[in-house]
């Protein structure tokens, strides 16, 4: 159905092909990191294949790759700089329990929702002290469907809002879809505050994290 949400599936192998060959080597951890950002980080499900060798065992090189990726993942997402930090929104759903803080409680089952009838919104977070940002993660409560149709991120730097910050590739941090998850990789960037600006949505905007 046109209005049904169906996640993309990204199928990737640790090897050049789907099966193990002794003459081949697995991908590098930097390649897998890039794949993660362009799959999971772009509202998709990553199916990562690790083929066993002809003995039925996993090749030690593939096992080492998984360990390296696990260490990278744990390190990268270890600290949520915005967890339970002061937040404000330009509008909030009238019923209690949908305030801006719900987008910062590290719980994807709760969410901020804008006021009834709104199709745009601004969510601002001002931590107690300046932060160095390396990754921006945005999630909608996907059980409500994909609502956001256009958004961008702003960073407050040196007391002024930068309405067009860029990611590590130089692209402006903006998009049309949030969905299950959007990830933006930055060069280490200092900011005093961050804002998610939802310019348009199919219904009342809602953000879970």
């Amino acid at each position: 159905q046109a209005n049904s949400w169906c996640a993309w599936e990204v199928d990737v192998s640790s090897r050049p092909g789907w099966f193990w060959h002794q003459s081949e080597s697995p991908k590098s951890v930097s390649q897998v990191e890039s794949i993660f950002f362009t799959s999971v980080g772009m509202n998709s499900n990553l199916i990562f294949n690790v083929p066993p060798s002809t003995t039925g065992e996993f090749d030690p090189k593939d096992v080492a790759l998984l360990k390296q990726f696990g260490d990278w993942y744990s390190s990268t997402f270890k600290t949520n700089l915005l967890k339970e930090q002061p937040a404000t929104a330009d509008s909030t759903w009238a019923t209690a329990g949908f305030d801006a803080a719900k987008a910062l409680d590290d719980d994807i089952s709760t969410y901020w929702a804008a006021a009834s009838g709104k199709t745009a919104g601004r969510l601002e977070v001002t931590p107690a002290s300046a932060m160095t940002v390396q990754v921006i993660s945005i999630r909608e409560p996907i059980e409500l469907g994909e609502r956001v149709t256009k958004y961008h991120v702003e960073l407050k730097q040196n007391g002024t809002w930068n309405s067009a910050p860029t990611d590590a590739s130089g692209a402006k941090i903006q998009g049309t879809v949030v969905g299950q998850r959007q990830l933006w990789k930055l060069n280490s960037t200092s900011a005093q505050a961050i804002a998610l600006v939802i310019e348009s949505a199919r219904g009342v905007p809602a953000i879970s994290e």
Side-chain angles (χ1 to χ4, degrees), residues 8 14 54 59 68 86 112 117 122 124 129 146 156 182-183 186 195:
W8 289 98
S14 65
T54 53
D59 190 304
Q68 291 167 357
W112 159 73
R122 182 183 179 94
E124 290 186 13
S129 58
E146 291 179 353
K156 195 171 190 178
Q182 288 288 309
L183 291 172
L186 284 66

Side-chain angles (χ1 to χ4, degrees), residues 86-103:
T88 58
D90 58 358
S91 77
T92 302
W93 191 257
T95 307
F98 299 96
D99 54 285
K102 297 301 181 184

